[in-house]
Each structure stands twice: as structure tokens, then as C-alpha cells.
Amino acid sequence: MSTPNAYELGFRSVDREFVDRRLPVEGTIPDWLSGRLIRNGPGRFEVGGERATHWFDGLAMLRKYAVADGAVRYTNRFLRTEAYDAATRGERTAEFASGPSPVRRALRWLRALGPPESTDNANVNVVRFGDHYVAQTEAPRRIAFDPDTLATRGEFRFTDDLTLHLSTAHATVDPRTGETVGFGLQFGRRAQYHVYAVDPGTAARRRIGSVRARGPGYVHDCAVTRDYVVLVETPLRIDLWRILVPWGDGFLDALHYDDDRGTRLVVVDRETGDLVADPVVPPFFTFHHVNAYQTDDEVVMDLVAFEDASIVDALAFETLAEDAFAAAPDGRLDRFRFEPTATDPDVTRARRYDGGCELPTVPRSVRTRPYRYAYAQATDRRGANGLVKVDLEREMATEWWARGVYVEEPRMVQRPGADAEDAGVVLAPALDTDAERSVLLVFDAETLSLLARAPLPHAVPFGFHGRFFAAD
């Protein structure tokens, strides 16, 4: 019998939940590392005998790696949401690329006297608002969960009057203030981006400012500096009419790339909420930002850029089934510099790493600040995904690869009290196709030498994002 390939293993539904399962550890995990790596992503792709058509549409399943005293304990649990309950009845809900049949969708419209409420299948990321641990997707419905057991606690709602129809699953914690900065999109005759901040103590959300959207464009992530929030409004346009009609196939059906539009950099002042600048540059697409900061007069913004939005369609199962990720275009780490207060800001762009990469991260302490090192998934080889550490000062990179191993999003954790930016470890879940199971990899953050492996009892579907929450 042949070994299952990366598509068969990495996009195969999970049918078992493990609770506080102690993992075998090969190697040594530093004793100082203590806390939880909690990740989010799809765990089940079949509903009512039909398989989802896109990676983004699987049912949300949290995964927790609790690390203490050199040991790792693993828990995985599906979010118990309305989408989950519907799936257990064999009913599909409207997701990124799929939804119920046109007839069923039209009936829901009639019952709701308008568009039904968006999905609560929060399968993209996790965040902490005050004392609340919350799972998020790009729909404006957030699900609270218990960080110890991963049990679903119910829907998390802000008490303000801010209306959002789409909301980022990426929120940046400013290490200076502790507040979490995010944004969302409100549809209407004048579509608007609303930029907001969440208080670290009370979890109250305040509006920073609102800016008119053009297109509107699909914006997945944002850059945050000391004084500014930058939204990169890509030419991937959202067709509002396609969202509002009851026969649409999902959010993906409403996205259209218009390479004649250019990419708009929307710069919002964090104190006043004013639109400071919105220069337009030649078109490109991005999902994820690396980091951003300010010099005396410039904003420096690093992100993973694609030539166009073909990466979105490349993550559909029809394409992934041919050779997992091989057909997906590679993103490149690019640096943008501009003077935000200039009358007509001149934006420069430079390549910082020639290899393909995605899912970038930096140490928490340097977010919004000048920094030297970025860590990311390396993507430009067949039969594997690797790990890369980019030295942005020396313009050098260190990479780690292993045949048949598909590394997911890395998270860099600094050693408490360390002075060096890269003193610590990198935690990277991965799929080992030869072993037919997933594994937590622990690397030395300075050298990328592999310190430890902790194999899981099963193969977990490829996930999206997560965070490491240090022990209190």
C-alpha cells in the first residue's frame, strides 16, 4: 500500500478529539518554555455526504499544545457553533467558497426577510480580548472558548454600536500599550473600513477612525506602527451585488481581481482617526503582513506579496488534489517605505527575501517597532514546506527543510529576560507524510537547529493561524 500524500493527509477530516494527551518528546524542550500554543483551522470537510470545495471552508477545530517542564500535552476540539450543529444535521452553511443549495439559500432569505446572518464557523485565528479567549474568522461573529479545555463558551460580542459585515481575523497587539488593533468593513452605498482598538483590561472596543473603501477591496491583514494603521486595499474587489443575491455560491464567488486598479495603501492616524495618506502603487495582492515601524519620517512596512490573487483559487481542492501546494504561486517578502505626511508620498518597494514564503511572524516584543528577524513558512520546493529565518539587516536567510515534512505557521517565542531578539525558540506544527501523522517541531530561534519533536497521535488537517500564550 502506498503512503498517503500531503493532500490526502493534510485535508482529511478528523474524527476524534483528544483531551490532554501527553505527547512523546524526541530531543529536549527548554525548561523555561511554559504556556499554550493554541491554533485554529479546519478539522472536517464533509457535510451531508458532500465535500467542501476549498480549504477555507472546513469546520473550525482548535488545537492546543500545552508546554511545561519540557513536556507537551495535546488537546483538539471542534467549536460547537451553529455551523457545527447544521453540519451534524447534514446541512451546509454559507462559507468562503461554498454554501447551501440555491433553493435552500432562497428559503433562508425569505424566512429572514433579507440576507441571513453570517457564519459563526470561526476557523481562522485566535485572540485574547481581556480575559476572553476568542476564535475568529472574517465573518463578524466571534466564538469564545475555554483556554484549558477548548470547550466552546458561546458567541463573543462587543457592546459598542460599530457595524461590521467583514472583520479581520488578524489583530495586532501593540507591546507598548497592550491594546489590540484591528479593522473591519461595512457595506453600503459608501462602503467603509472601520479601524478599532480593544482595551487589554476591559476588552472594550473603541473606534479609531473610519475611511471610505474603494471597490471595496479584500483586505485580510493590516500593518500597525506607533502612530499609524495601514490597510493594503488590494485589487481583489468585492462585488457587493454577488454577496446580496440569494443564488451566490459563497464569498469567493463575489471576488474579482481587477489589475487595472492598482493597490491602495490606506494610512490612518491612530490618535485622530484621520486618513493621513492613500497612495496607489502598481497592483499586487497580499494576505499577511510581517511587521511595520516608523523611522524619523518614514513608515517601513514588510509583507508577503503576490503578483496577483491567483493564490486564492490555487487553494481550492480541485487544484490542491493534483499536488498539494505545488501549483500555488509563491509569495515574496517585500519592504515598502514611504513618508506618510508628504503631500504625494513616494512609495519604494524592495525584495527582502528571494525565496517563496508565507505565514510570517516576528517576536511579540518587536511588533510595531524596528526589528531584524522574521520567521516564516518556506514554500518554493515540491514535496515539502520548510522554515525560514530572514535577517533583514544583513539580507541573509537560514532555512530548514526535511523531505515529506510540511511546516505550518511558525511562532517565535523569546526566552524571558533575553536581550537578543532571536534568543528563544520557534514552535512549528508540521505534517510528516512518511510517518502519516502531525508533529510539533521545536527549533532554536538563533540557528534553526531542531531541538525537539513531539509526534501527535493522528494527522491534523493543515491549519491557519494561532498564538502562543505564555503561562501567567
Side-chain angles (χ1 to χ4, degrees):
M1 181 180 295
S2 61
T3 300
N5 61 32
Y7 173 78
E8 294 169 333
L9 286 170
F11 299 102
R12 184 170 66 190
S13 296
V14 166
D15 58 7
R16 182 176 177 185
E17 295 174 322
F18 290 89
V19 178
D20 204 31
R21 175 75 168 259
R22 180 160 182 158
L23 303 181
V25 175
E26 305 162 8
T28 303
I29 298 174
D31 289 339
W32 58 262
L33 184 65
S34 181
R36 313 178 185 96
L37 173 63
I38 302 179
R39 287 181 44 76
N40 202 347
R44 184 179 303 166
F45 301 101
E46 290 78 25
V47 175
E50 295 184 14
R51 183 167 169 81
T53 59
H54 199 283
W55 182 20
F56 295 174
D57 285 354
L59 285 176
M61 186 184 77
L62 300 174
R63 311 96 149 111
K64 183 188 72 172
Y65 304 87
V67 185
D69 301 321
V72 183
R73 307 190 78 90
Y74 169 73
T75 300
N76 69 298
R77 192 177 181 98
F78 285 94
L79 284 177
R80 268 50 174 191
T81 60
E82 293 173 7
Y84 180 90
D85 292 341
T88 61
R89 299 191 300 268
E91 300 176 7
R92 288 184 296 160
T93 55
E95 301 295 342
F96 182 83
S98 60
S101 68
V103 172
R104 185 182 294 275
R105 187 176 173 93
L107 289 174
R108 289 183 180 177
W109 273 63
L110 291 173
R111 293 193 194 103
L113 300 178
E117 193 170 20
S118 58
T119 181
D120 63 350
N121 183 34
N123 66 359
V124 177
N125 209 344
V126 296
V127 68
R128 184 176 179 178
F129 295 135
D131 294 330
H132 306 277
Y133 290 77
V134 179
Q136 298 193 122
T137 184
E138 292 183 310
R141 300 184 67 187
R142 302 167 178 85
I143 305 300
F145 63 90
D146 185 297
D148 293 319
T149 66
L150 303 186
T152 303
R153 286 181 164 170
E155 189 162 350
F156 175 88
R157 297 178 184 269
F158 292 108
T159 57
D160 56 62
D161 59 355
L162 193 60
T163 299
L164 299 177
H165 298 113
L166 290 177
S167 185
T168 183
H170 292 274
T172 299
V173 178
D174 186 333
R176 290 184 182 86
T177 65
E179 66 181 6
T180 300
V181 179
F183 69 94
L185 175 63
Q186 180 181 9
F187 297 142
R189 294 183 62 185
R190 294 172 59 92
Q192 295 184 87
Y193 301 114
H194 299 303
V195 180
Y196 59 81
V198 180
D199 185 273
T202 65
R205 182 175 63 179
R206 66 176 177 86
R207 184 200 308 251
I208 292 175
S210 300
V211 178
R212 185 173 183 180
R214 296 178 187 169
Y218 173 70
V219 185
H220 183 75
D221 196 355
C222 68
V224 181
T225 72
R226 181 191 65 224
D227 298 324
Y228 305 109
V229 178
V230 185
L231 307 182
V232 177
E233 188 179 55
T234 74
L236 188 59
R237 184 171 56 85
I238 303 171
D239 187 336
L240 300 182
W241 171 249
R242 296 292 299 178
I243 289 179
L244 294 175
V245 296
W247 54 83
D249 290 332
F251 184 67
L252 179 61
D253 192 47
L255 297 179
H256 302 279
Y257 193 77
D258 186 356
D259 54 13
D260 293 329
R261 295 181 65 92
T263 294
R264 178 183 176 217
L265 309 184
V266 181
V267 186
V268 178
D269 188 294
R270 286 181 60 179
E271 182 177 353
T272 66
D274 294 337
L275 175 64
V276 177
D278 61 344
V280 177
V281 300
F284 71 90
F285 177 74
T286 184
F287 276 121
H288 301 118
H289 288 260
V290 183
N291 196 22
Y293 61 90
Q294 292 169 236
T295 63
D296 291 339
D297 55 3
E298 283 188 317
V299 166
V300 180
M301 178 176 69
D302 296 336
L303 52 77
V304 177
F306 295 86
E307 291 186 6
D308 54 35
S310 58
I311 180 64
V312 178
D313 290 326
L315 299 179
F317 285 155
E318 182 179 8
T319 304
L320 290 169
E322 297 176 5
D323 189 354
F325 303 116
D330 292 311
R332 308 293 179 183
L333 201 166
D334 284 354
R335 170 164 288 183
F336 294 78
R337 306 180 75 109
F338 58 92
E339 187 177 344
T341 57
T343 302
D344 185 15
D346 180 32
V347 181
T348 64
R349 176 178 177 180
R351 181 66 37 86
R352 307 301 292 174
Y353 170 61
D354 287 328
C357 64
E358 247 298 3
L359 305 174
T361 187
V362 298
R364 175 172 178 155
S365 64
V366 301
R367 291 172 192 161
T368 75
R369 298 173 173 177
Y371 73 114
R372 179 173 178 178
Y373 301 110
Y375 300 84
Q377 176 195 65
T379 62
D380 54 358
R381 293 188 190 178
R382 294 177 64 92
N385 282 337
L387 173 67
V388 61
K389 174 188 179 182
V390 181
D391 185 331
L392 295 158
E393 285 186 5
R394 301 180 64 186
E395 298 187 9
M396 298 174 60
T398 303
E399 299 179 357
W400 181 93
W401 297 85
R403 183 182 65 84
V405 175
Y406 289 78
V407 175
E408 299 187 67
E409 178 190 60
R411 302 302 298 184
M412 192 280 176
V413 183
Q414 284 182 298
R415 187 177 69 245
D419 294 328
E421 183 180 321
D422 61 348
V425 298
V426 178
L427 303 178
L431 175 66
D432 185 337
T433 56
D434 290 339
E436 299 185 33
R437 64 177 58 195
S438 297
V439 58
L440 178 67
L441 303 177
V442 183
F443 297 88
D444 181 283
E446 180 182 1
T447 64
L448 285 199
S449 58
L450 184 61
L451 300 177
R453 295 167 47 97
L456 274 62
H458 58 173
V460 180
F462 291 121
F464 298 129
H465 304 288
R467 291 192 176 181
F468 182 81
F469 301 96
D472 294 333

